[in-house]
Amino acid sequence: MLIAVIGDGRCSEQVAALAEAVGRELARRGAVLICGGLGGVMEAACRGAKAAGGLTVGILPGTSHREANPYVDVPIVTGMGEARNVLVVQSAQAVIAVHGEYGTLSEIAHALKLGIPVIGLNTWHLQQNGQERQDIVRAASAEEAVERAFALATP
Amino acid sequence: MLIAVIGDGRCSEQVAALAEAVGRELARRGAVLICGGLGGVMEAACRGAKAAGGLTVGILPGTSHREANPYVDVPIVTGMGEARNVLVVQSAQAVIAVHGEYGTLSEIAHALKLGIPVIGLNTWHLQQNGQERQDIVRAASAEEAVERAFALATP
Amino acid sequence: MLIAVIGDGRCSEQVAALAEAVGRELARRGAVLICGGLGGVMEAACRGAKAAGGLTVGILPGTSHREANPYVDVPIVTGMGEARNVLVVQSAQAVIAVHGEYGTLSEIAHALKLGIPVIGLNTWHLQQNGQERQDIVRAASAEEAVERAFALATP
Amino acid sequence: MLIAVIGDGRCSEQVAALAEAVGRELARRGAVLICGGLGGVMEAACRGAKAAGGLTVGILPGTSHREANPYVDVPIVTGMGEARNVLVVQSAQAVIAVHGEYGTLSEIAHALKLGIPVIGLNTWHLQQNGQERQDIVRAASAEEAVERAFALATP
């Protein structure tokens, strides 16, 4: 099982604690964690996964593995900038979005376009023609998010 | 001036007419139109641009220039699938979104992340923490959208 | 007809003169020139094409259209670094290699893998198991290179 | 240590045995193996690495993790086609080329352009202006190739 955790490269301590809990729970249940490999939510999630003995993959935007956060086991150096976002979600069987800014929104959109389930922890709400689209599955806790990611993951 | 028109690969006649008017107006004002090169909004916008004597560029997701709509002058064959969306907006000095689905949403998000102005014609509304983000500049007509795109375009 | 000209970002005056002649001849025969958009062979070829009234496309590796040489009409901003080389050749119906270093070699290899004809002007020679592979079509002048590119171009 | 093994997607039993020995030796020495994730040399190298308890990463060209060979632990789904070759070598601290066709040649060229050491096991020879370029470090056995890859690996 390969699950992506997406979120902003800078975040509050509260959001980091949530992301860390997601990473820990993913590792505890045996999933490999994939993310963008940088700081903020990505680093917190990787730290959580490593604390629980998990494996972490970082799909980096730049041209050096040195930009990876210290909890990335496998840094993939894309040199592709923002286009690497597509690889993060396309490689995952489910995606967990923790808060997030426009980079995260791009990943949510790519995932939903590609038919990959997105679980949201206090993340974006999306409206079209005055109506909210309900494709992001909302969760209220790290445990619930991981539970739903496993339940909905593509085969 | 290089302006992107983004929107769904399938659309209603009403939306197509709007996209065509955007393409026509862009060409009339001398802009090169860049888009994803496929059908729906992309094709309508290219058709409009060609009718007004403009130049059109299609950044294609697949591996053959044959997938371009017939109004694309310069087909760029990326073979990159969804990741080509980043190239569409990153190459543009401003982006005009006409309605659109999740692919379009990914392009809006990438553009806003990259600091490229996005003009919206009846497109997505985005909420974070219960508040609407106001970064998409709303327009009410094709002419107003093009007007704003020229005014806000990055140098 | 869309033809790529590939070669090093820095080159001697002699090589530049050759590339310029290739660009001029391509434009004279009505082809759109596509290249990596930077200096050296790319700039010389674009200069030649513009002198003959042609259209030029530059597939840029970085994140700004400002890195394009001054003779690029349509700058495509990929932000993908070296991976943009694939787009240069995949978009072309034939490729003309003028001398070139390892970046050019990567483009030759991608083109041959993808089945796109490569015409060589004093470019790489490739050996496998002690035997030269003959897939690069050799030309002795700019005119001959363009002639062969048109003759072999994929439909 | 992250080392790439590159080579053709189809190969003789003899070449497969060589690739398998490279994979085994990499794992024995603690390196993570990265490759294009498909068959032939890639599959044989992964099989060798798994037999020695190593970790394997496959950077896939298509849009499904199902195209990975059965010995890939971490499939990265790029959907980028040939452009994924750049990611394979850019992520590695050294590259070992086992025979190989034009896809492999593109990876060798990208690696040398990027300054990543390339060790060759009976792979391409490259000539410019009648002279062989000596940038590929030749090895005569799987053990020697891995030895040299470790010695030359970028930090």
Side-chain angles (χ1 to χ4, degrees):
Chain A
M1 184 70 72
L2 199 57
I3 309 267
V5 178
I6 62 176
D8 203 28
R10 278 177 295 184
C11 67
S12 68
E13 285 190 28
Q14 194 183 355
V15 172
L18 184 58
E20 190 167 348
V22 170
R24 203 163 44 227
E25 185 67 7
L26 283 171
R28 205 185 59 74
R29 295 187 54 159
V32 173
L33 184 158
I34 188 165
C35 69
L38 302 181
V41 160
M42 297 168 264
E43 179 164 350
C46 288
R47 190 169 54 234
K50 292 313 296 174
L55 181 70
T56 60
V57 179
I59 309 289
L60 299 166
T63 58
S64 167
H65 64 86
R66 302 235 182 92
E67 73 177 341
N69 72 60
Y71 308 101
V72 168
D73 294 317
V74 180
I76 304 298
V77 181
T78 71
M80 290 170 64
E82 291 302 305
R84 73 81 150 82
N85 291 9
V86 178
L87 279 57
V88 172
V89 299
Q90 198 166 21
S91 298
Q93 295 170 259
V95 174
I96 298 173
V98 184
H99 290 240
E101 280 293 326
Y102 284 121
T104 305
L105 179 59
S106 75
E107 293 172 311
I108 291 171
H110 283 299
L112 293 176
K113 171 77 184 278
L114 292 164
I116 298 162
V118 176
I119 323 299
L121 279 163
N122 203 13
T123 193
W124 292 91
H125 286 258
L126 312 172
Q127 287 192 339
Q128 247 183 345
N129 305 320
Q131 277 198 297
E132 178 155 2
R133 290 288 294 262
Q134 306 285 352
D135 299 303
I136 302 174
V137 176
R138 306 288 165 177
S141 70
E143 290 70 24
E144 189 190 348
V146 172
E147 177 73 37
R148 297 202 168 201
F150 269 79
L152 296 169
T154 62
Chain B
M1 184 70 72
L2 198 57
I3 308 267
V5 178
I6 62 175
D8 203 27
R10 278 178 293 185
C11 67
S12 68
E13 285 189 29
Q14 193 183 357
V15 173
L18 183 59
E20 189 167 349
V22 170
R24 201 163 46 227
E25 184 67 8
L26 283 171
R28 206 185 57 76
R29 296 187 53 157
V32 174
L33 184 157
I34 187 166
C35 69
L38 302 181
V41 162
M42 298 169 264
E43 178 164 349
C46 288
R47 189 169 55 232
K50 292 313 297 172
L55 181 70
T56 60
V57 179
I59 310 288
L60 301 166
T63 57
S64 168
H65 64 86
R66 305 236 182 92
E67 72 179 340
N69 71 61
Y71 308 101
V72 168
D73 294 316
V74 180
I76 305 298
V77 182
T78 71
M80 291 170 63
E82 291 302 303
R84 75 81 151 80
N85 290 8
V86 178
L87 277 58
V88 172
V89 299
Q90 197 165 20
S91 298
Q93 295 169 260
V95 173
I96 299 174
V98 183
H99 291 240
E101 279 294 323
Y102 284 122
T104 305
L105 178 59
S106 75
E107 292 171 312
I108 291 172
H110 283 299
L112 294 175
K113 170 77 183 279
L114 292 164
I116 298 162
V118 176
I119 323 301
L121 279 163
N122 202 13
T123 192
W124 292 91
H125 286 257
L126 312 172
Q127 288 192 341
Q128 246 182 348
N129 305 318
Q131 278 199 296
E132 179 155 2
R133 291 288 294 264
Q134 305 286 354
D135 299 303
I136 301 174
V137 176
R138 305 289 164 177
S141 68
E143 290 69 24
E144 188 190 348
V146 172
E147 177 72 38
R148 298 202 166 201
F150 269 79
L152 296 169
T154 62
Chain C
M1 185 70 72
L2 199 57
I3 307 266
V5 177
I6 63 176
D8 204 27
R10 279 178 293 186
C11 67
S12 69
E13 286 189 29
Q14 193 184 357
V15 173
L18 183 58
E20 190 168 348
V22 169
R24 201 164 44 229
E25 184 67 7
L26 283 172
R28 206 184 58 75
R29 295 187 54 158
V32 174
L33 184 157
I34 188 166
C35 70
L38 302 180
V41 162
M42 297 168 264
E43 179 165 349
C46 288
R47 189 169 54 234
K50 291 314 298 173
L55 180 71
T56 60
V57 179
I59 309 288
L60 300 166
T63 57
S64 167
H65 63 86
R66 305 237 181 88
E67 72 178 342
N69 73 60
Y71 308 101
V72 168
D73 294 315
V74 180
I76 304 297
V77 182
T78 71
M80 291 171 62
E82 291 303 303
R84 74 79 151 84
N85 291 8
V86 178
L87 279 58
V88 173
V89 299
Q90 198 166 18
S91 298
Q93 295 169 260
V95 174
I96 299 174
V98 184
H99 290 240
E101 279 293 324
Y102 285 122
T104 305
L105 178 60
S106 75
E107 293 173 311
I108 292 171
H110 283 299
L112 294 176
K113 171 76 184 278
L114 292 164
I116 298 162
V118 176
I119 322 300
L121 280 163
N122 203 12
T123 192
W124 293 91
H125 286 257
L126 312 172
Q127 286 193 342
Q128 248 183 346
N129 305 319
Q131 278 198 296
E132 179 156 2
R133 289 288 294 263
Q134 305 285 353
D135 299 302
I136 301 174
V137 175
R138 307 288 165 176
S141 69
E143 290 69 25
E144 188 190 350
V146 172
E147 176 72 38
R148 297 203 167 202
F150 269 78
L152 296 168
T154 61
Chain D
M1 184 70 72
L2 200 55
I3 308 267
V5 178
I6 62 176
D8 202 27
R10 278 179 293 184
C11 68
S12 68
E13 285 189 29
Q14 194 184 356
V15 173
L18 184 59
E20 190 167 349
V22 170
R24 201 162 47 226
E25 184 67 7
L26 283 172
R28 206 184 59 74
R29 295 187 56 159
V32 174
L33 184 158
I34 188 166
C35 69
L38 302 181
V41 160
M42 297 169 263
E43 179 165 349
C46 287
R47 189 168 55 231
K50 292 313 296 173
L55 181 70
T56 59
V57 180
I59 310 288
L60 300 166
T63 57
S64 167
H65 64 85
R66 304 237 181 90
E67 75 179 340
N69 72 60
Y71 308 101
V72 169
D73 293 317
V74 180
I76 304 298
V77 181
T78 72
M80 291 170 62
E82 290 303 302
R84 73 78 148 86
N85 290 9
V86 178
L87 278 58
V88 172
V89 300
Q90 199 166 18
S91 298
Q93 296 171 259
V95 173
I96 299 173
V98 183
H99 291 241
E101 279 294 324
Y102 284 122
T104 305
L105 178 60
S106 75
E107 294 173 310
I108 291 171
H110 284 298
L112 294 174
K113 171 77 184 279
L114 292 164
I116 298 163
V118 176
I119 322 300
L121 278 163
N122 202 13
T123 192
W124 292 91
H125 286 257
L126 312 172
Q127 287 193 341
Q128 249 183 345
N129 305 319
Q131 277 199 298
E132 178 155 1
R133 290 288 294 263
Q134 305 284 352
D135 299 302
I136 300 174
V137 176
R138 306 289 165 176
S141 69
E143 290 70 24
E144 189 190 349
V146 173
E147 176 73 38
R148 297 201 167 203
F150 268 79
L152 296 169
T154 62

